């Protein structure tokens, strides 16, 4: 049987230095490697996060007419980051430039808050309770 695949998360951003500061401050990650002048590897999550500097308005794919738009946008893929103290993490995120979209809400599995980063990408912070996702598992 082949080894399991590894998850690597890539995130396009228009300003690499600003994105690096934001994600290091908010998620507590550290720089692993710099890949040329336009990419940085961030370590400390369960999967490495690569920030890729790509200009707004550039073509997203040869197979699609879409262009990169760093205003707030919706995508079916976003980051959920589990934290120990959501109130503290929320304050850090807002201070770093995140837009708080929902405040902290109670959920059967804990507490959750939804944000947009300074580049329009959505992300959630989750503080799990003792049951975690088992509270809603079927």
């Amino acid at each position: 049987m082949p080894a399991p695949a590894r998850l690597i998360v890539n995130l396009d951003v228009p300003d690499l230095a600003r994105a690096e500061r934001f994600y290091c401050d908010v998620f507590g990650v550290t720089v692993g490697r710099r890949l040329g002048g336009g990419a940085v590897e961030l370590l400390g999550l369960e999967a490495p996060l690569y920030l890729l500097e790509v200009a707004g308005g550039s073509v997203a794919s040869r197979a699609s007419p879409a262009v990169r738009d760093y205003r707030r946008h919706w995508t079916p893929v976003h980051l959920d980051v589990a934290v120990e103290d959501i109130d503290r993490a929320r304050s850090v995120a807002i201070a770093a430039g995140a837009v708080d979209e929902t405040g902290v809400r109670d959920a059967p599995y804990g507490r959750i808050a939804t944000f947009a980063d300074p580049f329009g990408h959505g992300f959630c912070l989750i503080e799990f309770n003792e049951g975690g996702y088992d509270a809603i598992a079927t």
Side-chain angles (χ1 to χ4, degrees), residues 19-133:
E20 179 183 323
R21 282 189 308 275
F22 177 82
Y23 282 99
C24 287
D25 288 349
V26 174
F27 294 161
V29 295
T30 57
V31 173
R33 298 176 287 180
R34 297 192 185 280
L35 308 171
V40 64
E41 172 189 59
L42 301 179
L43 303 174
L45 300 171
E46 291 184 43
L49 175 61
Y50 289 85
L51 302 177
L52 311 175
E53 189 169 48
V54 185
S58 60
V59 176
S61 165
R62 287 185 223 163
S64 169
V67 295
R68 286 174 180 82
D69 181 353
Y70 293 112
R71 295 172 297 172
R72 180 60 172 117
H73 56 275
W74 181 86
T75 176
V77 177
H78 65 273
L79 302 176
D80 282 354
V81 178
V83 298
E84 294 294 319
D85 180 345
I86 197 165
D87 296 311
R88 181 183 174 289
R90 177 179 173 268
S91 294
V92 170
I94 292 168
V99 176
D100 183 352
E101 296 183 332
T102 62
V104 177
R105 306 178 319 276
D106 290 324
Y109 48 83
R111 300 169 71 209
I112 183 169
T114 305
F115 300 86
D117 75 7
F119 318 103
H121 306 303
F123 71 93
C124 300
L125 297 175
I126 301 173
E127 178 185 302
F128 287 110
N129 60 24
E130 205 173 277
Y133 281 150

